[in-house]
Each structure stands twice: as structure tokens, then as C-alpha cells.
């Protein structure tokens, strides 16, 4: 056996990719340090790039997977060769297979054979299927029974014909492949954390009923699935990280009762309680983290420094998994076109309003939104920026962007004569300095857009997961976990205001500062919703008491300003051991990333927007401008 085998110790798992297009040299860098990972994982999928892969397969049946995985292997050839020659080739699990895991498995096996000769031929490559449910949706009883994740509406009431449909399957197909000797396992739409969960369960021989252990594997996966996000990427404290480039990928030490997050010594980036808390709060839904194999209860999760660039995470509990799986369902819903222009200097708001009035008139917007010739499904006029553009140090700093976005069922409704050409007709009568972005011929050309339906699909409709080896005729069939919680027993996300709130007056005189001078935050998307979590810069009880008492639901919506009107519902909880306050903002992204008019389509900027808002902060707790985050 040329591969790593389980031992009686923690398993070391390193991340090689956190998204499609991630750094292709990350694996090479990860293998160059003194820590030798037992396993490597990569998360390549999201709702939006599954639709990209589907579009590729319309013209090329051999496409449909993420090309970046093999490129990473190529760049890391020397490091992989050393591990292979030493008989410690790391196990690798990735979801880069997307819609065509078999083809990627064939390509990977060919690469291994060509690059490493006989030893490469002996490395088994497996692929896992069972996530693609597009054919399952053709059954009328299934179509009528699948419901929207947020509002409970049935798929049959959606009004679109799905073209991409993938259930978020769990870890057990990957586990079985590893048990059967696979060196590399390729899957489609497993959950982001499933590859890490599978490595831990395989290594420690955890079974599907050991929910406490499975929850630990889940939080380990959540911590490192986003790669650099836990070593300094997307981090409020980025200014304090020297050499803020080529950040190290994370490594998780997964023990039997806790996880330690670390990185290769000497590589750029940082792992501390703040980067780890930020990642824990990223794209969660509250105290309960739903997963195909377990529900993790994060209510008592705790983080501790465990040495330089080492953070220990514990306090996670496990509950039986739900009887349904999340599914990402997408359908072509029409066409979309976009036009951008600049507004510079003074009176930005007045300039934007004058142009909007002209555009609405020349477009005959109200009539077109009601139907008839050149009918539109939606129309959005946005002014991006504009505050602080007067007396700016440069023209760039004085510039705001006008963004006009329209959607229609038929491409002809967004032809040049019905969209970009009409805007250009206002060129010489628009506000002073009106200048279109000169690529409007490209962005103004109608292109298909997809509607997104995040769904819950009952497990009994799903085919078993199957593990396929290229060298074997018969796949291994793996049923989904048989023991699941009854719907009536599923934990409901909590929602509450501050417990025993402090009177803010007791903190004494205040100073007006941006919230982000003293408070960390991170936000992200979950379908149509955005989550955002906050925690204080310091570790004192006073700072925590102020933050949790100040950040009520009412206060958060106030800080959101005009954007609060798009929020349909809000849920708020606290994580006392992490001293964090967490919110879910339902509906802020419209239908979700594939169909939202927001420029911040993934919700990652909401945290930074809220941190920029001015708040009255206790003078006694303020560290001063020089010591701000």
C-alpha cells in the first residue's frame, strides 16, 4: 500500500481548494511545509458553478467537472512524488466531479499513470454518484412533494422546468471508497464539509450512529472547507497580517473529542481565535447546523488558543440527521441585461434621480412590467456609491456607478432597441459628466439567467449513493442513513433578544465611531438569505455585555438602513462561549445568487457595511483609533 493508512492518533487534513478557480498552487504550497497531512480535501462547488458545468455539457458531453483539480495535482507533482516514493501518499477527497465525476476520475487516473508510471497505475481512483436528481424530478409525485427550504412552497408551483438538480449528499460514499482502498475519491454535490467528515470517520472508524463524533467531523469540515477564510482571508483584521498574500491553507487535527486548526509554520497568514470565530460564524443558520449525516448543536461551541497558529475547538454536540436532504434546483427563467455608467463629483443623488426619471419614461417601464410588447419581468435602477464624492482627492474617489438591470422572459425584450440603445438615446441629455461603461455592448446583450429553488427532498425518493472504481465492473451501493429524526423531533432554530440585557447607560459616556473599530463580523449567503455574526475585539465581559445588549434585532435593522426593507424575517441568537451575536436576514438576496439584483450577490459585504456604520460606543471600552481592528 503506497497510501497513508489510519493510525491511533489525530488525523491531519489539509485543504487544497475552497472554491472553483482557487489558487492552483495551494496544494504545492501545502505539501512544502514540515507538517505532513494524512489527507487532502477540496471544495469546488457552489450553486452558480453547477449551472456553468451544465452549460458546458450542452456542447461537450466530456465536460461538466472542475478543471482546476488536475491542474493543482500537476503543480504539486514533486511533493506528491516524494510522498508516493515514501509510501505515504495522502488520501485525497474532492467534490470537483460536479455533474460528470466519472469523466474527471478517468482523467485523473490517466494523469497518475502518465506522471508516476507503475506506482501511479496502482493508485485507485473512485467516484461517487447519487447526488444528481434531475431524473427523479420527472416523477409527478416527487415534483409535487418537494418543498422550498424557506417558504414551504411546492416545486410544482414554481413555474419553471428544472435543468440542474442536485441533492447535497453526505460522507458515506466517500468513506466506503476509502475503506475499499481508494487513494483519490471524486464526488459531485456532496456538502462542503463532507470530504473532511469522511476522512475523519474513515480514520477513526466512526459509525453513522455516533452523532457526537460525526458532529465533531462536521465542525472540522466547516472550519477548513473555505481554505484561507480561517487563515486570514476575508478577515476584518487583515491590516495586521504582514505579507498579506499567498496565505497558507489550513490544516485540521481531528481528535476524538476536539479539533485543532493550524497551518504550516513559516507560511503567510495567521490562525487565532478571531479568524476561527469568524469562520465558525460564516454561512450558518443559527445554533443548529443541518447536515445529511448529523445535526450539530453549536450552542456551547468554544474556542481556545493552543499555541502559535493553533486554535482548539470543542463543545459541539450531535443529534440524529433530518429525514430530508437539501437540494439545489435551477431552471432557466429568462434573460438578463445590464448597463453601467458613472456619475462624478457633487449632487450624485440628484444626478441619479434625473437619469432614472428619463430611463423610466423612455422605457415605458410601468407598462412593460405589466406585459405586452417587450415585456419585462423586473427592472432595477441602482446608484452604487456617492457618499463622500465631494472634495475627493482624485476623480476615481469622486466617482459613483449607476447600474441598470432588467430581466425578461424573451431575449427580444432586451434587444439593443429595447434596452441599451434606449439608454444611449439619453446620452446627450443626461446629467453633466454622464459616461457609460464602454463595455455596454457586452453587458447589455441579453444572456440567460437561472432561477434558484433551494429545496428539501425526502430521502426515500433518492437513489442510493454508489462508489465506482474504474477497474471494477460493479459499483458499491451505500444506502442513506436509515436512522433519522422524525420531522416533529427536529430542532428548530432559536430566535431571541438579549438575555438579561444591560442598560446601555451603565457603560458611561460614549464616543461615536464605526462599529468595526471594535467589533469583528462575517457574513455570507444561504440561498436567498444572508447570515451575519459579530464578536468584540477584546475578551472582557464588559465588551461582551455591551455588544449583546446593543445588537438587538431592532438595532440591526436600523443599521441596515434602506436595505432593511428587503428583509422578510430576522432570527437572532447568541453564542456565549464565543461571545458572538448571530443573525439570519431572510430574503435579502431575492431568489438567491443566480437571480439577485444586489451587487453584493453573495452577501459577503453585508458584514463590512454594518461594521462601517457609526454607533455610540462606550469611551471606557474604546481602545483608540490606532488600536482599532
Amino acid at each position: 500500500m503506497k497510501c497513508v493508512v489510519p493510525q491511533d492518533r489525530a488525523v491531519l487534513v489539509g485543504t487544497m481548494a475552497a472554491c472553483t478557480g482557487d489558487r492552483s498552487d495551494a496544494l504545492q504550497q501545502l505539501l512544502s511545509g514540515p507538517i505532513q497531512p494524512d489527507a487532502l480535501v477540496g471544495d469546488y462547488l457552489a450553486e452558480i458553478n453547477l449551472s456553468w458545468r451544465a452549460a458546458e455539457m450542452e456542447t461537450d458531453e466530456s465536460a461538466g467537472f472542475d478543471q482546476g483539480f488536475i491542474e493543482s495535482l500537476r503543480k504539486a507533482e514533486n511533493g506528491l512524488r516524494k510522498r508516493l516514493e515514501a509510501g505515504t501518499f495522502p488520501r485525497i477527497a474532492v467534490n470537483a466531479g460536479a455533474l460528470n465525476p466519472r469523466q474527471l476520475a478517468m482523467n485523473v487516473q490517466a494523469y497518475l499513470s502518465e506522471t508516476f508510471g507503475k506506482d501511479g497505475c496502482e493508485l485507485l481512483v473512485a467516484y461517487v454518484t447519487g447526488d444528481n436528481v434531475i431524473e427523479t424530478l420527472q416523477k409527478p409525485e416527487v415534483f409535487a412533494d418537494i418543498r422550498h427550504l424557506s417558504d414551504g412552497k411546492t416545486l410544482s408551483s414554481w413555474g419553471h422546468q428544472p435543468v440542474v438538480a442536485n441533492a447535497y449528499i453526505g460522507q458515506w460514499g466517500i468513506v466506503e471508497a476509502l475503506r475499499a482502498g481508494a487513494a483519490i475519491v471524486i464526488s459531485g454535490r456532496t456538502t462542503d464539509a463532507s470530504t473532511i467528515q469522511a476522512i475523519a470517520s474513515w480514520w477513526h472508524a466512526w459509525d453513522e450512529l455516533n452523532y457526537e463524533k460525526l458532529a465533531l467531523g462536521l465542525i472540522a469540515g466547516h472550519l477548513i472547507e473555505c481554505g484561507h477564510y480561517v487563515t486570514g482571508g476575508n478577515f476584518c483584521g487583515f491590516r495586521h497580517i504582514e505579507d498579506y498574500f499567498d496565505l497558507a491553507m489550513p490544516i485540521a487535527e481531528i481528535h476524538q473529542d476536539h479539533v485543532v486548526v493550524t497551518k504550516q509554520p513559516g507560511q503567510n497568514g495567521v490562525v487565532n481565535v478571531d479568524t476561527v470565530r469568524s469562520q465558525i460564524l460564516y454561512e450558518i443558520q443559527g445554533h443548529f447546523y443541518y447536515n445529511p449525516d448529523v445535526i450539530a448543536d453549536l450552542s456551547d461551541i468554544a474556542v481556545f488558543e493552543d499555541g502559535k497558529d493553533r486554535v482548539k475547538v470543542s463543545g459541539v454536540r450531535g443529534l440524529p440527521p433530518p429525514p430530508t436532504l437539501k437540494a439545489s434546483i435551477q431552471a432557466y427563467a429568462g434573460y438578463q441585461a445590464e448597463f453601467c455608467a458613472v456619475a462624478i463629483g457633487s449632487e450624485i443623488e440628484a444626478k441619479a434621480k434625473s437619469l432614472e426619471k428619463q430611463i423610466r419614461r423612455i422605457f415605458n417601464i410601468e407598462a412593460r412590467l405589466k406585459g405586452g410588447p417587450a415585456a419585462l419581468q423586473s427592472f432595477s435602477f441602482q446608484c452604487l456609491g456617492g457618499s463622500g464624492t465631494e472634495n475627493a482627492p482624485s476623480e476615481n474617489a469622486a466617482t459613483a456607478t449607476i447600474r441598470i438591470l432588467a430581466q425578461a422572459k424573451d431575449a427580444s425584450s432586451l434587444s439593443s432597441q429595447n434596452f441599451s440603445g434606449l439608454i444611449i438615446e439619453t446620452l446627450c441629455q443626461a446629467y453633466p459628466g454622464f459616461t457609460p461603461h464602454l463595455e455596454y455592448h457586452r453587458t447589455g446583450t441579453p444572456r440567460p439567467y437561472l432561477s434558484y429553488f433551494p429545496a428539501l427532498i425526502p430521502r426515500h425518493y433518492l437513489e442510493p449513493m454508489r462508489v465506482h472504481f474504474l477497474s471494477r465492473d460493479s459499483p458499491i451501493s451505500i444506502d442513506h442513513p436509515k436512522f433519522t429524526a422524525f420531522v416533529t423531533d427536529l430542532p428548530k432554530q432559536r430566535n431571541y433578544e438579549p438575555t438579561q440585557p444591560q442598560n446601555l447607560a451603565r457603560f458611561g459616556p460614549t464616543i461615536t465611531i464605526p462599529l468595526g473599530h471594535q467589533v469583528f463580523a462575517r457574513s455570507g449567503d444561504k440561498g436567498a438569505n444572508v447570515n451575519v455574526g459579530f464578536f468584540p475585539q477584546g475578551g472582557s465581559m464588559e465588551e461582551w455585555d455591551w455588544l449583546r445588549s446593543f445588537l438587538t434585532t431592532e438595532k440591526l435593522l436600523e443599521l441596515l438602513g434602506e436595505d432593511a426593507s428587503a428583509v422578510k424575517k430576522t432570527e437572532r441568537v447568541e453564542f456565549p462561549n464565543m461571545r458572538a451575536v448571530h443573525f439570519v436576514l431572510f430574503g435579502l438576496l431575492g431568489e438567491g445568487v443566480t437571480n439577485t439584483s444586489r451587487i453584493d450577490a453573495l452577501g459577503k459585504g453585508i458584514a463590512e457595511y454594518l461594521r462601517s456604520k457609526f454607533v455610540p460606543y462606550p469611551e471606557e471600552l474604546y481602545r483608540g483609533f490606532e488600536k482599532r481592528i
Side-chain angles (χ1 to χ4, degrees):
M1 171 66 74
K2 293 284 188 178
C3 296
V4 166
V5 295
Q7 300 176 40
D8 187 19
R9 58 168 173 80
V11 60
L12 305 180
V13 186
T15 301
M16 60 180 289
C19 63
T20 185
D22 203 356
R23 286 174 48 203
S24 60
D25 66 341
L27 175 57
Q28 178 185 8
Q29 181 190 41
L30 183 61
L31 293 176
S32 69
I35 300 174
Q36 286 204 350
D38 301 302
L40 305 165
V41 296
D43 175 26
Y44 291 83
L45 296 185
E47 289 85 357
I48 192 166
N49 65 335
L50 279 171
S51 63
W52 298 345
R53 303 290 88 85
E56 292 170 357
M57 294 189 74
E58 289 178 2
T59 56
D60 182 359
E61 291 184 355
S62 66
F65 56 86
D66 199 291
Q67 304 279 353
F69 175 52
I70 288 186
E71 181 61 23
S72 293
L73 296 180
R74 288 195 180 101
K75 288 192 174 181
E77 178 184 329
N78 290 338
L80 291 172
R81 186 183 300 279
K82 289 178 182 177
R83 295 289 299 270
L84 184 59
E85 291 173 350
T88 59
F89 192 86
R91 304 293 179 123
I92 301 176
V94 297
N95 62 10
L99 301 180
N100 199 352
R102 182 177 186 274
Q103 184 64 54
L104 180 56
M106 293 169 61
N107 294 0
V108 169
Q109 190 73 75
Y111 163 77
L112 294 174
S113 301
E114 293 167 5
T115 305
F116 302 120
K118 181 175 179 294
D119 286 343
C121 292
E122 293 177 355
L123 293 173
L124 293 179
V125 178
Y127 65 97
V128 178
T129 59
D131 63 299
N132 196 327
V133 295
I134 192 70
E135 292 186 6
T136 302
L137 298 188
Q138 306 307 312
K139 302 174 183 177
E141 68 274 16
V142 178
F143 204 77
D145 198 24
I146 293 179
R147 295 186 176 275
H148 194 281
L149 185 63
S150 296
D151 60 27
K153 293 181 180 178
T154 62
L155 184 60
S156 57
S157 67
W158 188 30
H160 301 300
Q161 184 61 40
V163 294
V164 181
N166 294 80
Y168 287 66
I169 60 175
Q171 64 178 302
W172 296 111
I174 302 172
V175 172
E176 191 60 39
L178 293 168
R179 288 172 178 166
I184 298 178
V185 187
I186 295 164
S187 68
R189 180 67 275 193
T190 52
T191 72
D192 296 353
S194 287
T195 54
I196 301 102
Q197 291 176 267
I199 296 294
S201 295
W202 162 72
W203 184 275
H204 291 301
W206 295 339
D207 64 46
E208 67 178 46
L209 297 180
N210 199 336
Y211 301 128
E212 297 291 301
K213 305 294 188 184
L214 298 182
L216 186 66
L218 174 55
I219 196 60
H222 181 69
L223 284 164
I224 70 168
E225 70 193 22
C226 293
H228 303 115
Y229 274 20
V230 77
T231 63
N234 191 25
F235 177 53
C236 302
F238 73 98
R239 294 187 310 107
H240 304 290
I241 300 176
E242 294 184 16
D243 297 330
Y244 194 61
F245 56 87
D246 292 344
L247 301 183
M249 279 294 195
I251 298 170
E253 294 178 8
I254 308 176
H255 298 256
Q256 290 281 3
D257 59 354
H258 68 276
V259 179
V260 173
V261 182
T262 187
K263 70 176 187 67
Q264 292 286 12
Q267 295 185 2
N268 294 347
V270 63
V271 177
N272 60 32
V273 292
D274 295 331
T275 66
V276 170
R277 283 191 288 182
S278 295
Q279 179 56 24
I280 290 173
L281 292 169
Y282 180 62
E283 292 187 347
I284 59 173
Q285 291 290 284
H287 282 165
F288 300 107
Y289 193 138
Y290 276 64
N291 176 268
D293 304 314
V294 67
I295 298 173
D297 182 352
L298 308 181
S299 306
D300 297 321
I301 192 169
V303 297
F304 308 93
E305 294 281 1
D306 192 47
K308 180 175 172 54
D309 290 318
R310 291 176 59 84
V311 174
K312 177 181 176 180
V313 180
S314 61
V316 181
R317 296 184 58 247
L319 302 168
T324 55
L325 295 188
K326 179 184 174 183
S328 171
I329 303 173
Q330 299 175 55
Y332 288 112
Y335 294 83
Q336 180 171 295
E338 184 173 339
F339 188 105
C340 291
V342 298
I344 300 172
S346 301
E347 303 292 352
I348 296 295
E349 183 178 356
K351 290 171 180 175
K353 286 183 176 179
S354 72
L355 181 65
E356 182 176 11
K357 184 177 181 180
Q358 291 180 347
I359 295 299
R360 286 185 173 275
R361 181 178 179 279
I362 200 169
F363 268 52
N364 195 15
I365 284 295
E366 301 308 321
R368 290 176 66 180
L369 287 173
K370 293 178 181 178
L376 297 177
Q377 294 170 319
S378 68
F379 175 84
S380 177
F381 186 100
Q382 304 168 17
C383 181
L384 309 176
S387 299
T389 54
E390 291 186 312
N391 197 32
S394 68
E395 185 181 24
N396 282 348
T399 300
T401 296
I402 304 294
R403 181 177 184 238
I404 303 168
L405 186 72
Q407 294 177 329
K409 183 177 181 181
D410 300 315
S412 60
S413 295
L414 296 173
S415 65
S416 176
Q417 67 185 39
N418 288 322
F419 183 68
S420 60
L422 290 179
I423 301 173
I424 290 298
E425 286 187 21
T426 70
L427 180 66
C428 294
Q429 64 173 350
Y431 57 77
F434 172 79
T435 305
H437 287 192
L438 297 183
E439 73 274 17
Y440 70 84
H441 286 292
R442 175 179 60 83
T443 63
T445 300
R447 61 193 186 279
Y449 79 91
L450 290 111
S451 185
Y452 174 53
F453 191 99
L456 293 176
I457 180 169
R459 291 176 189 257
H460 61 263
Y461 289 134
L462 299 173
E463 295 292 326
M465 293 174 283
R466 290 186 172 87
V467 177
H468 309 257
F469 286 90
L470 298 176
S471 57
R472 303 175 188 174
D473 293 332
S474 300
I476 304 171
S477 183
I478 303 100
D479 290 330
H480 295 274
K482 297 181 178 62
F483 298 97
T484 61
F486 291 106
V487 172
T488 53
D489 294 333
L490 290 173
K492 291 181 172 55
Q493 297 292 358
R494 300 178 180 117
N495 178 28
Y496 56 86
E497 295 304 311
T499 54
Q500 298 181 327
Q502 303 294 305
N503 186 332
L504 295 177
R506 87 163 181 82
F507 295 98
T510 62
I511 181 173
T512 300
I513 62 167
L515 178 65
H517 279 195
Q518 295 288 135
V519 175
F520 289 91
R522 182 167 291 180
S523 60
D525 69 307
K526 276 295 185 183
N529 310 328
V530 171
N531 88 299
V532 58
F534 304 85
F535 57 91
Q537 180 182 19
S540 74
M541 185 58 70
E542 286 283 286
E543 288 169 294
W544 167 233
D545 278 342
W546 178 84
L547 180 66
R548 68 180 186 82
S549 301
F550 176 77
L551 274 182
T552 62
T553 298
E554 181 181 8
K555 176 56 68 175
L556 184 85
L557 293 173
E558 177 188 320
L559 293 175
L560 273 174
E562 295 176 2
D563 292 313
S565 62
V567 178
K568 297 178 180 179
K569 183 178 74 169
T570 305
E571 289 181 350
R572 177 194 183 279
V573 294
E574 297 172 6
F575 293 85
N577 290 343
M578 292 201 305
R579 297 186 175 173
V581 182
H582 176 267
F583 296 87
V584 179
L585 309 174
F586 289 83
L588 186 57
L589 295 181
E591 284 194 6
V593 61
T594 62
N595 183 20
T596 179
S597 62
R598 294 187 67 87
I599 195 71
D600 179 21
L602 298 174
K604 297 181 192 294
I606 283 292
E608 289 305 293
Y609 168 60
L610 292 168
R611 291 181 68 245
S612 75
K613 300 304 284 281
F614 279 57
V615 301
Y617 192 79
E619 282 189 37
E620 185 177 316
L621 301 178
Y622 185 47
R623 287 173 168 74
F625 182 79
E626 294 301 322
K627 294 183 179 180
R628 71 192 187 282
I629 291 174

